[in-house]
């Protein structure tokens, strides 16, 4: 049997559906062609970046590093840390024939206002005048002495409103060759700093004004001169690791030739009640 022919309405619907599908296909192809054309035009107008060579990469890195600000030196940071704790010490003494004046350095080491210095700076003084970092001045009295270590502890009679104690370090953690910074008032030049290294440990030194030799000292090559005595010796972190005691000069002249000494802070700090390390 033969199948009956499809109704004309059904044929017309199929034809209409085919025309719709064909129209959609044409639109799709037109969109693809337009996208391809747009990509080609973009590549013509905006060429692809040329890859950098290894040499160009190195040069760019060097230029960037050269333009970066350098990190501050350890010495600059150390000075800013210790400066608020630094003290200038001036003394006067009236002898049988004349009056003598002297000066030295000191450092605040406690919230109570204890100031460490060298005993020979204040020994025999009738008056002791302190000048603090803020410029204020005060008379001072000696609280305690350690003659065997040439250490004295002072206390201001009228301290400034705010005292900034220094941070004490551990001299036993230091090594020969480590950085060492001496801050004080050499020859009366306020707030001077010198830098060097630790040259040795457990040294002995006889003070030029006599008395028993000092032992167990730290040897340094940071420049110290008259006026540095009693000032702090610092590590690279701004921590006090010693109190400058004096210098050695085989010519018997009181100038620095490269050998200075400091009392370790674990010894000197004991006079102010600081705990040992």
């Amino acid at each position: 049997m033969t199948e009956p022919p499809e109704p004309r309405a059904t044929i017309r619907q199929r034809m209409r559906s085919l025309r719709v599908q064909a129209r959609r296909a044409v639109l799709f192809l037109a969109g693809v062609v337009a996208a391809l054309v747009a990509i080609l035009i973009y590549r013509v107008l905006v060429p692809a970046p040329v890859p950098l060579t290894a040499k160009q990469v190195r040069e760019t890195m060097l230029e960037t590093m050269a333009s970066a600000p350098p990190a501050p030196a350890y010495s600059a940071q150390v000075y800013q840390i210790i400066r608020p704790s630094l003290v200038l010490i001036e003394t006067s003494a009236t002898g049988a024939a004349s009056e003598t004046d002297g000066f030295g350095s000191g450092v605040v080491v406690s919230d109570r206002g204890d100031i460490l210095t060298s005993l020979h700076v204040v020994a025999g003084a009738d008056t002791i005048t302190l000048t603090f970092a803020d410029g204020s001045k005060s008379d001072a009295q000696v609280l305690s002495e350690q003659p065997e270590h040439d250490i004295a502890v002072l206390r201001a009679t009228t301290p400034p409103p705010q005292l900034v104690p220094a941070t004490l370090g551990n001299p036993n953690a230091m090594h020969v060759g480590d950085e060492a910074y001496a801050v004080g008032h050499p020859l009366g030049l306020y707030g001077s700093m010198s830098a060097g290294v630790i040259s040795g440990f457990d040294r002995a030194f006889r003070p030029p004004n006599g008395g028993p030799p000092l032992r167990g000292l730290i040897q340094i090559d940071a420049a110290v001169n008259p006026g540095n005595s009693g000032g702090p010796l610092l590590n690279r972190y701004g921590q006090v690791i010693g109190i400058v005691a004096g210098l050695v000069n085989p010519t018997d002249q009181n100038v620095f030739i490269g050998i200075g000494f400091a009392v370790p802070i674990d010894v000197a700090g004991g006079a102010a009640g600081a705990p040992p390390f």
Side-chain angles (χ1 to χ4, degrees):
M1 291 181 65
T2 59
E3 294 182 359
E6 293 183 1
R8 291 183 178 180
T10 302
I11 295 174
R12 284 196 297 272
Q13 288 178 354
R14 288 186 177 181
M15 293 297 294
R16 191 180 297 111
S17 175
L18 290 174
R19 284 195 296 271
V20 171
Q21 292 178 3
R23 192 178 297 112
R24 289 177 177 174
V26 170
L27 292 174
F28 175 77
L29 290 174
V32 172
V33 171
L36 292 175
V37 171
I39 292 173
L40 290 174
I41 293 174
Y42 177 82
R43 289 185 175 179
V44 171
L45 297 177
V46 185
V50 179
L52 294 175
T53 64
K55 180 180 178 181
Q56 290 173 323
V57 172
R58 287 195 299 270
E59 290 176 348
T60 301
M61 291 177 61
L62 290 174
E63 290 175 359
T64 302
M65 293 172 63
S67 62
Y74 280 119
S75 54
Q77 300 179 60
V78 168
Y79 187 79
Q80 294 303 317
I81 291 172
I82 196 60
R83 188 178 180 279
S85 307
L86 200 60
V87 179
L88 170 65
I89 301 173
E90 298 174 277
T91 63
S92 63
T94 302
S98 63
E99 182 173 325
T100 59
D101 296 326
F103 55 88
S105 306
V107 59
V108 180
V109 294
S110 74
D111 294 329
R112 301 184 303 271
D114 294 329
I115 298 166
L116 283 180
T117 188
S118 294
L119 178 58
H120 72 263
V121 170
V122 296
D126 294 321
T127 62
I128 303 172
T129 304
L130 309 178
T131 302
F132 294 91
D134 63 357
S136 62
K137 294 180 178 290
S138 172
D139 291 336
Q141 57 182 349
V142 177
L143 289 185
S144 62
E145 300 178 357
Q146 278 188 350
E148 69 276 18
H149 300 303
D150 190 29
I151 292 294
V153 181
L154 309 181
R155 181 78 60 83
T157 55
T158 55
Q162 184 176 9
L163 286 172
V164 182
T167 301
L168 306 186
N170 183 1
N172 299 313
M174 306 299 293
H175 304 87
V176 172
D178 283 343
E179 298 100 322
Y181 304 96
V183 183
H185 318 296
L187 307 177
L189 301 173
Y190 183 87
S192 298
M193 181 180 200
S194 60
V197 298
I198 291 178
S199 305
F201 294 96
D202 199 23
R203 303 303 199 206
F205 164 67
R206 185 178 294 277
N209 57 352
L214 306 176
R215 303 186 185 279
L217 303 178
I218 302 172
Q219 179 186 338
I220 57 173
D221 73 346
V224 293
N225 285 286
N228 274 113
S229 293
L233 179 69
L234 305 135
N235 61 19
R236 63 157 58 180
Y237 306 110
Q239 300 168 339
V240 180
I241 57 171
I243 298 297
V244 175
L247 55 93
V248 168
N249 188 328
T251 66
D252 294 328
Q253 296 181 11
N254 207 13
V255 294
F256 186 68
I257 64 165
I259 301 177
F261 295 108
V263 180
I265 195 61
D266 56 343
V267 174
F277 291 97

